[in-house]
Amino acid sequence: MKIDFVRGHMGGNLIVLLRGDQIPIGRELETAVLLMGPNYLHVHEAGILYPAGKPGELEVKIAEPTLPCFISACGGFTQVLGAALIETELGELFGIDRDVSPARVLLHTDCGPTALSIESHERKTMRIRTDMECFVRECYERGVERAACGDMQVMRAGKFLVINADTFKESYPAANFEVWDRQTREALLEIQHDFQEKTGEIEPNVAVYDWSPARGGHLRVVFPHYVADDFFEPSCGTGSVALGLALAASGELNRLSADQNGIITLNIESGGGKELGGPEITALELKMDSGNVNSAVFSHSRVEVTAVGQAIL
């Protein structure tokens, strides 16, 4: 079996894009998980693409390898897809005018409709804005609230466990979010296990943050989803949105002011590696209503297509 692919990343969040018409029916997840593995394309998520019957619209299935399973949404996937639709022949395959800026694309995901606005110049992507409103709704439906896990207070934002690194260190003073030594990993796994037992969440999704930025952002974050398998995402779109919802619920978002349009822009340092924070910026634009977030749009400062080719299975 030969499958065309496009590989790229969003701040170190590694993504592969696959054509659904080249994968046998019933073997979509199996094939995606194999291609995500270290012997093939070694990525964090895979997006399987199908035409939706209209130019500029795509049906997508998003797979991740830790369980493995299909997931409802992935922000990094949307950003890499936005770049690929302009910079590769994928755009022509799905009816995208690669010379128009911004290009408008609508994705039909398991979470719901997800709109992309892709700014480009001479078929080089400049910025991709992803509207994550459907994921915001999903998070609130699952629950956005404080939770006691292990010996500390954490936040739940939908399927995400959101941890303030300073709170973590109050319970585990030797915790190190740069080298992630054995003690730090074991402590996080204990908290994560407690969180999953209490919430019923199965997927491992974690965001660890603090308000000690190093490069001009408002805060910094890393996404150690499953440290037992060394599964870290340096950047994560859904995780950044979940973080924004958790900060709104905890009151920490009150540190920032809304602009004249009522939008709070949160600049998050992430990317590059496993350490807390990183060299890139995730810009998260949040609109509030009665203390809750009702819309979230994000973009990342570094999105790149790194390989186009054909995998042989």
Side-chain angles (χ1 to χ4, degrees):
M1 183 165 52
K2 297 179 180 180
I3 300 177
D4 295 327
F5 71 86
V6 177
R7 189 180 189 273
H9 77 98
M10 178 193 78
N13 180 199
L14 303 171
I15 307 293
V16 66
L17 308 174
L18 307 172
R19 286 178 50 180
D21 63 347
Q22 296 178 333
I23 302 175
I25 295 173
R27 294 182 59 189
E28 295 86 354
L29 183 59
E30 168 197 344
T31 302
V33 169
L34 184 61
L35 288 174
M36 284 187 278
N39 291 335
Y40 284 89
L41 299 173
H42 205 193
V43 297
H44 298 121
E45 282 92 18
I48 306 174
L49 314 177
Y50 304 87
K54 295 180 181 179
E57 295 191 21
L58 291 78
E59 299 277 356
V60 302
K61 295 290 289 185
I62 307 164
E64 68 95 22
T66 54
L67 285 180
C69 64
F70 287 117
I71 59 177
S72 62
C74 174
F77 154 74
T78 67
Q79 295 279 297
V80 172
L81 175 61
L85 290 173
I86 299 300
E87 298 177 16
T88 78
E89 293 181 359
L90 271 183
E92 294 169 5
L93 183 65
F94 291 103
I96 309 300
D97 189 337
R98 298 163 65 191
D99 297 313
V100 170
S101 179
R104 309 289 184 182
V105 176
L106 183 64
L107 309 179
H108 300 277
T109 74
D110 288 345
C111 184
T114 301
L116 307 184
S117 175
I118 311 166
E119 300 171 14
S120 63
H121 179 68
E122 296 181 350
R123 296 193 176 182
K124 176 65 179 175
T125 311
M126 309 304 292
R127 183 173 71 153
I128 304 112
R129 299 177 75 248
T130 304
D131 187 335
M132 300 289 285
E133 184 174 346
C134 66
F135 183 70
V136 170
R137 288 197 303 269
E138 178 187 293
C139 287
Y140 279 118
E141 288 169 1
R142 294 172 96 125
V144 178
E145 59 199 356
R146 294 184 186 275
C149 294
D151 296 326
M152 73 181 71
Q153 288 289 317
V154 299
M155 293 296 297
R156 175 189 186 174
K159 63 184 180 180
F160 271 83
L161 165 62
V162 181
I163 303 173
N164 185 309
D166 294 328
T167 301
F168 194 108
K169 287 183 176 180
E170 289 174 7
S171 297
Y172 302 92
N176 188 315
F177 300 115
E178 277 67 47
V179 300
W180 287 95
D181 55 22
R182 180 176 59 82
Q183 293 89 340
T184 306
R185 291 177 182 235
E186 289 177 351
L188 178 57
L189 284 171
E190 178 185 339
I191 295 164
Q192 190 174 19
H193 179 70
D194 194 14
F195 174 82
Q196 290 179 309
E197 278 199 337
K198 289 177 176 176
T199 63
E201 296 292 344
I202 299 173
E203 296 172 29
N205 293 286
V206 183
V208 177
Y209 73 97
D210 69 14
W211 292 88
S212 302
R215 296 178 174 87
H218 294 116
L219 75 170
R220 57 184 186 160
V221 68
V222 68
F223 303 94
H225 295 314
Y226 193 52
V227 296
D229 284 348
D230 210 36
F231 189 80
F232 289 73
E233 288 184 5
S235 301
C236 177
T238 51
S240 297
V241 173
L243 173 59
L245 302 187
L247 297 175
S250 70
E252 293 175 81
L253 198 61
N254 294 335
R255 298 179 184 215
L256 306 180
S257 300
D259 65 15
Q260 59 185 6
N261 296 314
I263 296 174
I264 298 173
T265 299
L266 184 65
N267 291 320
I268 304 168
E269 296 179 4
S270 65
K274 298 176 183 178
E275 68 275 5
L276 180 59
E280 286 97 44
I281 294 290
T282 298
L284 182 62
E285 302 169 22
L286 304 171
K287 267 197 171 183
M288 306 286 294
D289 181 24
S290 302
N292 286 342
V293 175
N294 61 13
S295 71
V297 175
F298 91 96
S299 60
H300 195 276
S301 63
R302 187 181 180 202
V303 180
E304 296 177 316
V305 172
T306 56
V308 177
Q310 190 173 70
I312 302 173
L313 286 81

